[in-house]
Amino acid sequence: MRPTISLKDVFGAVVYCPRPSSSACRWIPPGNPFLNSLTGGQLVLAGETAVLCSRGVSTPAALQLLADGGFSPPLNLHRFKTAEEHLEHMRILAQSDRPIVLNHSHPPDELDPDCCWISPDLLNYLNNKANLPELVPMENIPPRRVYTAEELKKDLLRVKLPVVLKAAVDETSGGGADVRVCLNAYQLKRALGRFSNTGQIIVESFLDMAANYCLNYAIMPDGNAVFLGGAEQVIDKRRIYHGNWIVAQPSLPPAALDLGAKIAARGAALGYYGLLGIDIAVLPDELVVAYDLNYRANGSTVALVFSDSIFCRTGASVMRLRSWTGQAGYKPLLKAAYRALHSGFFLPLWSYDPSADGYMNSPARIGGLILGNTRQEIQVFESEIAAMGLK
């Protein structure tokens, strides 16, 4: 399998550090096992690039699974187990002449900002949901209003439901932890309580989406934005992300592609270079709006840059990107992954054995692609994988 772009192509000689800080992750799903598992997502793009990753995503069995799926193994891994080891290794690596690429900003007392590929302050600014109007044309922004917590408490009865509440913070976020969909007054009150300690809260209209995409870009050091592809997002009624649909011949709306290019150019003008994912909704009247920006590798990034190679090699025309957990431990999860791989309808992109990091009571996890020629066929394959014990 060959990607259309690699970490080295985007960043050059750097150290890639995808794990969030344990002391600055209140807007990410909690738990060190989950944070460690995030370090496996881009290993198949690593090649010679130095990557700081957990032992759990890079065990011999985990790397062999990727190789058996047809992916080139990463060649320069620096491994840790605990949050403390992660910081220790990152500080040591920062003493080299290679800049540190962060997916999630770290506090300055943990990592000198001067060692970073992108300033943590800029990373926080670009990902702060309050700053969307600085990066997106006004006509392509969902109806929204920015409040302080106290202002929203006073105005709560005038908020028209349903709405989406979003924490606007200069901290890293992701996984839906900073977003709450409010369909009724009770949910609105609970969401306000969850976000009461944030600097600002965004009240955004609940969008009626005709289509929903994540457009991916690589903004190169020369400022040129390379379009990596677009994936249809799978989200539930709470706007929680559950993976993507990727097709061999996508028909992405030209207006969405035009909007994505404008947003990427604005990020580059502010000094950002790296990976970018833009969540764009197409409304029933065909207006396109950008409702979230993620200046980092996204869930669909790896699948998109390998999609041409995968479609060519397998003959599939549709892929479903998602992740699974295995409550019985890593070995049964690995056995199920190989059964699906040998059946020809599954490709692994990463896996995580929490016991390798010392977390004995956490579920094993795996992410990958289900391959087929129709969505209905893939749904049958999903049922087969569930019967193997992966949920």
Side-chain angles (χ1 to χ4, degrees):
M1 301 292 183
R2 294 189 178 276
T4 55
I5 202 166
S6 69
L7 295 184
K8 185 178 180 180
D9 294 330
V10 179
F11 300 110
V14 299
V15 181
Y16 189 74
C17 299
R19 189 193 193 277
S21 166
S22 291
S23 64
C25 61
R26 61 177 178 153
W27 303 111
I28 294 177
N32 283 320
F34 175 78
L35 300 182
N36 281 7
S37 74
L38 294 178
T39 64
Q42 290 84 54
L43 288 185
V44 292
L45 287 181
E48 299 175 355
T49 298
V51 178
L52 181 58
C53 66
S54 84
R55 294 185 181 275
V57 301
S58 58
T59 63
L63 296 180
Q64 187 61 52
L65 177 63
L66 297 179
D68 291 340
F71 298 100
S72 299
L75 302 175
N76 190 0
L77 299 182
H78 301 264
R79 296 176 172 90
F80 65 87
K81 292 176 65 174
T82 66
E84 293 74 21
E85 285 183 5
H86 167 255
L87 288 180
E88 179 183 354
H89 282 285
M90 189 169 60
R91 288 166 177 157
I92 292 171
L93 290 167
Q95 295 174 12
S96 71
D97 59 356
R98 294 169 297 178
I100 302 294
V101 173
L102 299 174
N103 270 350
H104 302 275
S105 62
H106 284 56
D109 61 339
E110 291 184 353
L111 180 66
D112 184 349
D114 291 338
C115 298
C116 297
W117 170 263
I118 296 296
S119 158
D121 286 343
L122 176 59
L123 203 58
N124 286 335
Y125 174 86
L126 292 170
N127 288 298
N128 187 326
K129 292 173 170 54
N131 299 326
L132 196 73
E134 305 301 318
L135 298 157
V136 179
M138 190 61 63
E139 63 270 20
N140 301 111
I141 296 174
R144 67 203 312 255
R145 180 174 173 182
V146 181
Y147 290 87
T148 67
E150 289 303 315
E151 288 171 343
L152 184 53
K153 285 179 183 177
K154 296 176 182 177
D155 211 25
L156 205 60
L157 293 177
R158 285 182 288 205
V159 172
K160 185 178 179 181
L161 297 166
V163 294
V164 181
L165 259 61
K166 300 181 177 182
V169 294
D170 282 327
E171 302 172 51
T172 195
S173 61
D178 58 338
V179 176
R180 292 290 185 275
V181 173
C182 305
L183 304 178
N184 54 53
Y186 173 73
Q187 291 175 339
L188 179 61
K189 188 174 181 180
R190 285 197 65 182
L192 177 57
R194 168 75 174 103
F195 296 156
S196 61
N197 61 344
T198 65
Q200 294 179 310
I201 302 171
I202 295 166
V203 177
E204 190 172 278
S205 293
F206 184 86
L207 299 175
D208 179 16
M209 299 182 183
N212 179 25
Y213 301 99
C214 182
L215 304 186
N216 278 249
Y217 296 83
I219 302 177
M220 310 303 282
D222 63 1
N224 182 44
V226 178
F227 179 58
L228 303 179
E232 182 182 341
Q233 302 206 99
V234 180
I235 56 175
D236 61 22
K237 293 180 180 180
R238 300 169 297 162
R239 293 292 195 263
I240 302 299
Y241 169 74
H242 294 286
N244 300 86
W245 289 103
I246 299 171
V247 298
Q249 296 181 334
S251 55
L252 299 168
L257 297 174
D258 180 63
L259 175 58
K262 290 177 180 177
I263 295 169
R266 291 192 181 187
L270 291 173
Y272 179 81
Y273 311 107
L275 299 170
L276 164 65
I278 305 171
D279 293 340
I280 288 182
V282 181
L283 306 186
D285 62 2
E286 298 186 353
L287 176 68
V288 295
V289 297
Y291 64 91
D292 199 16
L293 310 179
N294 296 290
Y295 283 84
R296 59 174 178 268
N298 282 234
S300 57
T301 304
V302 168
L304 285 170
V305 298
F306 276 102
S307 61
D308 287 349
S309 181
I310 292 171
F311 286 133
C312 180
R313 173 176 168 175
T314 65
S317 57
V318 184
M319 301 191 297
R320 171 75 159 90
L321 171 69
R322 58 162 295 180
S323 61
W324 297 262
T325 58
Q327 298 295 333
Y330 187 74
K331 287 185 179 180
L333 177 143
L334 193 63
K335 182 179 179 180
Y338 271 107
R339 284 178 61 192
L341 176 62
H342 293 153
S343 295
F345 60 75
F346 173 73
L347 283 177
L349 295 178
W350 60 271
S351 64
Y352 179 61
D353 179 1
S355 66
D357 289 339
Y359 302 111
M360 310 308 294
N361 297 318
S362 295
R365 302 181 68 230
I366 189 169
L369 292 161
I370 305 174
L371 313 175
N373 290 305
T374 67
R375 297 192 182 198
Q376 292 75 17
E377 183 181 29
I378 286 178
Q379 288 167 350
V380 172
F381 294 151
E382 282 192 281
S383 298
E384 292 185 26
I385 290 177
M388 297 174 189
L390 301 184
K391 305 296 183 183

